Amino acid sequence: MRLENVGRRYGLRGPWVLREVGLALPAGTLVRITGTNGTGKSTLLRLIAGIDAPTRGRITGRPARTTYVPERFPAALPFTAGGYLVHLGRIQGLGGAEAAARAGEWLERFGAAAFADTPLAELSKGSSQKVAVAQALMADPPLLVLDEAWTGLDTDARGELDRAVRDRVGAGGTVVFVDHDPRRLAGEADAVFTVAAGRVRPGSPERTTAREDVAPEDVARVRIVASGGPALPGGIPGSPAYEEGDALTVTATVDADHSDTLLRALLDAGWHIDHLSTEGVRV
């Protein structure tokens, strides 16, 4: 699969989120996409998965069976967990009996078999995410795209998704993923690309603590609204500014370069991320 001179913007006069992207994604490879929040990582993944179309350039060689897991699963759908998986399996080309068998297998692997008959709208965030990753894996897709797919999963389910990713690559599939945790599949990626300033470059980002060449007002800031956690962790790089909401809500603002660290600290401390925004950028 190839992306050739691909660009993407929203609206006829909107700013370019991505420009002149050229990528080759061979079969049997694990590809990690990195970069700070608000740089266009999710836009790139949606282009790769075929969810969005490029404004400019072309994408060739995408497998007919491609699956995608967003960070936020649209749980308010009129299905039970098992029924949804069977429905998606049949759309992906499986017969009814095979789709039902694989649905049960993947729910079992992710520790969610007890929720097979539960309506999606009644599932917790974590259980919903297990259904989301199960639907992407059950038909052995040649291309699997994961956008923060580990978010909300418990430790066992995260480990199971790690194993499933390795299995897909080992079977000749291509897996492209983003994850806030730098430890996720560390050292296993065949290629790493970084999104910055609308461009996609090979290699990991170069982090700097000093931004002497950039005026403070020009530094991208990320705003995170979180709820439900305990006392906030201290000593986070970037010195985030906190705005206290009600007893269970907090809003934190930090330079984009440090936003991944702040998100990981909040998630590790048990906070739920309700909203994330970067001024002037749509991702």
Side-chain angles (χ1 to χ4, degrees), residues 6-11 14-21 38-47 52 55 195-200 280-283:
V6 166
R8 177 65 169 144
R9 67 179 176 185
Y10 295 94
W16 287 94
V17 179
L18 295 172
R19 290 175 176 270
E20 300 176 2
V21 177
T39 54
K41 299 191 301 295
S42 290
T43 295
L44 177 61
L45 292 193
R46 287 197 297 268
L47 288 169
D52 286 351
T55 308
V195 185
R199 311 283 179 164
V200 180
V281 179
R282 179 176 175 179
V283 295

Side-chain angles (χ1 to χ4, degrees), residues 4 15 18 97 175 179:
E4 301 176 32
L18 295 172
V175 180
D179 193 68

Side-chain angles (χ1 to χ4, degrees), residues 99-169:
R102 292 200 183 189
E105 173 191 344
W106 281 106
L107 286 174
E108 182 71 32
R109 286 183 64 171
F110 285 109
F115 303 113
D117 296 325
T118 302
L120 291 176
E122 296 178 13
L123 295 176
S124 67
K125 160 65 177 173
S127 295
S128 294
Q129 194 65 9
K130 291 177 181 181
V131 174
V133 294
Q135 64 80 23
L137 292 163
M138 58 187 294
D140 300 328
L143 175 61
L144 172 63
V145 182
L146 304 173
D147 190 357
E148 302 290 350
W150 288 263
T151 300
L153 296 179
D154 55 55
T155 300
D156 289 344
R158 289 181 184 181
E160 191 61 48
L161 181 52
D162 288 350
R163 286 187 286 275
V165 166
R166 296 184 187 109
D167 290 345
R168 276 285 74 229
V169 174

Side-chain angles (χ1 to χ4, degrees), residues 8-104:
R8 177 65 169 144
R9 67 179 176 185
Y10 295 94
L12 294 176
R13 299 181 181 276
W16 287 94
V17 179
L18 295 172
R19 290 175 176 270
E20 300 176 2
V21 177
L23 289 180
L25 303 173
T29 57
L30 177 62
V31 179
R32 181 171 197 142
I33 306 298
T34 69
T36 57
N37 287 295
T39 54
K41 299 191 301 295
S42 290
T43 295
L44 177 61
L45 292 193
R46 287 197 297 268
L47 288 169
I48 292 171
I51 306 300
D52 286 351
T55 308
R56 176 181 295 168
R58 64 176 187 162
I59 299 174
T60 59
R62 182 188 295 112
R65 193 166 70 255
T66 297
T67 56
Y68 168 72
V69 181
E71 181 180 1
R72 293 176 180 84
F73 175 63
L77 297 170
F79 294 96
T80 63
Y84 175 74
L85 292 180
V86 171
H87 177 68
L88 266 292
R90 298 192 69 174
I91 288 175
Q92 294 167 16
L94 302 178
E98 185 178 11
R102 292 200 183 189

